[in-house]
Amino acid sequence: MKFDIGVILASGHEILSGLALTVLIWIAGSALGLGLGFIVATLRRYGGPLVNLGLAIPVEILRGTPFLVQIFLLYFGGPFIGLSLDPIPAGLLGLTVYGAAYYSEIFRAGYQSVPEGHVEAADCLGFGRIQTIRHVLLPEMALIVLPPAVNMTVILLKETALLSLITVPELTLTVQAIGSQKYAFLESLFVLALVYWALVEIAGQLGRLAEGYFSRYRTART
Amino acid sequence: MTTDDIPAIACNKVCKSFGSTEVLKDITLDIPAGQVSCLIGPSGSGKSTLLRCMAFLEEATSGTILIKGQPLGFSEQDSGFRARQPASQIRAVRANIGMVFQQFNLWPHMTALGNVSAALRVVRGLPKREAEARAMAQLEKVGLADRADHYPSQLSGGQQQRVAIARALAQEPRIMLFDEPTSALDPELTGEVLNVMRQLAAEGMTMVVVTHEIGFAGSVANRINFLDHGRLLFSGSPEEVFRKPRHPRLEQFLDTYLDRGASMLV
């Protein structure tokens, strides 16, 4: 049998629609996860010991179990507790919550990286808590948070492939379906690898651009 | 009674413990308005903690602190119960105070101008142009107008501390607290910061300075307060502090400075 990726690429239109859904779920899930993770980290910092503990437990569970198990539980187990979701919303929700657990730990480290004195200076100048977060803590932690956050976002992209197992018609499901129709399994896997890799490289470049922006005050010296 | 007659800061029986460690024991101390008060004492004597209590960066375990007659942080209720004030009230009382730290604590992602103008924009809500004009005036005052667009990482320690002083002054506090403002600086840079502080003192700013610069304390302070092991052992004018006979513990403390060649100051 001949190795010919042309067989797969002939179904370009379908691949593009799978790719579009993958990118959509990835970007939406990452953005929502990033926001939710930030809120969780902020509540854990300011909410007192009970809130901290109450949030630490789900974060630990989400970080301590495989993503595949989580989406199976959500998609197949959800209906038993009255949570019947279609594949796409279930996938998006699963990715958001899974990502949020990791992002929250990244933001927690970010909060801890800012010297307490910088917050005290803001307190003494009359900044409220939200003003301190917005104008001091977030911009100061940006450089610390960015590399692990980009890393996590890349991991989330690759985790979206597992959503094919709850029948989300994203890239992996689409390309594998084409592969089985045309008896071109190897070719389909090869195309998948190439497309994910290209997306990861693009994400990485964007991350580096952002790092350059946030590090302008560290590299600039007279 | 005019407002000048009430002390700028009045500490009454202030105690502070960290766990079972008593750091401040029954400190009763008035900071007179328009004067420079120094807090001196060996490391661990509680002088920085006392200063941080005056800025409400530490909460006194018991006792009261009045800023211009207004209670700071806690309000005494009729029943004698001490209730924590709402954040807005704490901010209002604290607006009287400017704080300068040993480690400067400038925000690294903002230029000198950004550091000084930030609170004017964020807290007071001034438009950018006006906030920056006011900030520039403060930078001029500390001699750093030409460094306005430099980030803290591009400034020497002495320059950073002067920006930090300008940042505190921009909020127009009535009282300035300095927590060992020159301890992180070499002697040459110490001089430029002390000069800015002398200038402030000459303008009549109420200042409380925690310092190891006994020479500065002797020449600028109106009152020197000596703390040891969390107690206020001695409080008086520089003449009283440096005139013998002294409290034996103060004598011992000052002798360590005489040994280091500061005898001409005493």
Side-chain angles (χ1 to χ4, degrees), chain B residues 195-257:
Chain B
N195 282 339
V196 168
M197 292 170 64
R198 282 199 183 89
Q199 179 195 331
L200 259 186
E203 290 169 10
M205 174 63 81
T206 305
M207 294 164 65
V208 186
V209 187
V210 170
T211 188
H212 292 294
E213 298 287 335
I214 300 296
F216 173 83
S219 61
V220 179
N222 303 99
R223 291 193 77 76
I224 294 182
N225 305 285
F226 177 67
L227 277 83
D228 188 42
H229 287 106
R231 290 188 193 284
L232 182 63
L233 284 193
F234 187 90
S235 188
S237 67
E239 294 74 29
E240 289 170 311
V241 171
F242 295 127
R243 194 182 58 214
K244 297 185 181 194
R246 301 183 282 235
H247 188 287
R249 183 65 188 91
L250 176 58
E251 182 89 356
Q252 190 190 0
F253 177 72
L254 289 174
D255 276 348
T256 60
Y257 282 90

Side-chain angles (χ1 to χ4, degrees), chain B residues 89-105:
Chain B
Q89 194 179 350
I90 292 172
R91 269 202 295 279
V93 178
R94 196 146 66 172
N96 290 293
I97 286 172
M99 178 89 182
V100 174
F101 301 86
Q102 182 179 356
Q103 298 299 336
F104 328 136
N105 288 333

Side-chain angles (χ1 to χ4, degrees), chain A residues 20-31:
Chain A
L21 187 59
T22 286
V23 170
L24 189 73
I25 290 183
W26 171 44
I27 289 178
S30 299

